[in-house]
């Protein structure tokens, strides 16, 4: 049995211009502890985040990065309130710009990433991408809450009629109308 090689951690700060000029590829991991907003949004983050990125210029000469990110998180099941494990995978298509005005000119297929100054916080941009790809509602695929615990409206109305405190008043009113 062979052990897969450990991927190295990606640098936190990058210069997107240089990576695009060199048409570099980055492949590695982002430590879960470096993503505080993700950690606070999930019950737990299982392992580190695996990332692949390829930097290049597209046909319109835009500076872009394409790639993939994947990780496992545990979220709260909205049915039983117990942890449920979710596999999060997202394709990345970024266009690097240096102002919001430039971002408006990018094709719709690219998400604008504004690099202020010489370096970009790669972890923050990846964390944004992951947070956008978390499911709105998490739940177990299998039945995690027994159907017996759900009640229809008819059954609760019958219980309500049996325990109605005004039933006595209704009987008294009925007897006073007969006289």
């Amino acid at each position: 049995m062979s052990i897969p090689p450990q991927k190295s951690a990606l640098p936190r700060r990058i210069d997107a211009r240089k990576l695009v000029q060199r048409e570099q590829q980055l492949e590695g991991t982002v430590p879960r502890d470096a993503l505080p907003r993700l950690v606070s949004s999930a019950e737990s983050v299982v392992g580190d985040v695996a990332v692949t990125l390829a930097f290049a210029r597209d046909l319109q000469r835009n500076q872009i990065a394409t790639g993939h990110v994947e990780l496992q998180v545990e979220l709260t099941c909205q049915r039983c309130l117990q942890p449920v494990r979710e596999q999060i995978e997202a394709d990345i298509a970024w266009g690097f710009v240096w102002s919001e005005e430039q971002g408006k000119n990018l094709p719709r297929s690219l998400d604008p990433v504004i690099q202020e100054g010489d370096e970009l916080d790669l972890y923050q941009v990846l964390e944004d991408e992951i947070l956008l790809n978390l499911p709105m509602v998490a739940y177990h695929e299998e039945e995690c809450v027994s159907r017996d615990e759900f009640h229809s409206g008819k059954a609760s109305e019958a219980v309500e009629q049996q325990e109605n405190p005004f039933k006595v008043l209704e009987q008294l009113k009925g007897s006073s109308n007969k006289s």
Side-chain angles (χ1 to χ4, degrees):
M1 179 171 113
S2 67
I3 298 173
Q6 291 282 50
K7 291 186 178 182
S8 63
L10 292 176
R12 180 174 196 101
R13 305 197 72 60
I14 62 168
D15 184 348
R17 291 179 211 169
K18 287 182 181 176
L19 294 173
V20 167
Q21 286 174 349
R22 298 178 189 150
E23 294 186 353
Q24 270 192 295
Q25 292 191 5
L26 296 178
E27 186 172 347
T29 61
V30 175
R32 64 177 169 251
D33 299 335
L35 307 172
R37 292 179 297 148
L38 175 62
V39 170
S40 68
S41 297
E43 287 288 318
S44 68
V45 179
V46 181
D48 292 331
V49 180
V51 179
T52 58
L53 289 171
F55 295 84
R57 286 192 180 271
D58 66 3
L59 296 175
Q60 290 83 28
R61 306 290 297 152
N62 293 312
Q63 298 184 32
I64 65 167
T66 56
H68 190 75
V69 61
E70 63 182 75
L71 69 147
Q72 283 191 353
V73 295
E74 284 189 348
L75 303 170
T76 302
C77 173
Q78 297 302 302
R79 292 180 184 152
C80 67
L81 301 178
Q82 297 299 314
V84 59
R85 191 168 283 199
E86 293 279 344
Q87 178 76 24
I88 308 297
E89 295 189 30
D91 290 322
I92 295 171
W94 295 333
F96 297 105
V97 293
W98 286 262
S99 70
E100 285 190 36
E101 192 61 39
Q102 289 176 330
K104 292 177 185 175
N105 296 328
L106 283 175
R108 290 190 183 269
S109 61
L110 296 174
D111 294 326
V113 174
I114 299 174
Q115 179 176 323
E116 297 171 351
D118 293 336
E119 290 186 332
L120 173 72
D121 187 341
L122 180 61
Y123 289 7
Q124 182 179 0
V125 179
L126 285 167
E127 187 174 32
D128 291 342
E129 192 74 37
I130 294 166
L131 289 171
L132 289 170
N133 282 283
L134 288 178
M136 295 281 286
V137 178
Y139 55 89
H140 292 100
E141 290 296 322
E142 70 278 356
E143 186 177 301
C144 57
V145 177
S146 170
R147 294 215 182 263
D148 297 339
E149 295 187 33
F150 293 105
H151 302 286
S152 70
K154 293 177 184 174
S156 64
E157 287 173 15
V159 170
E160 186 178 307
Q161 285 179 356
Q162 291 173 353
E163 300 172 3
N164 188 347
F166 298 105
K167 190 165 187 146
V168 175
L169 291 174
E170 190 176 292
Q171 291 172 348
L172 289 173
K173 184 180 176 188
S175 64
S176 67
N177 288 340
K178 292 180 183 176
S179 347

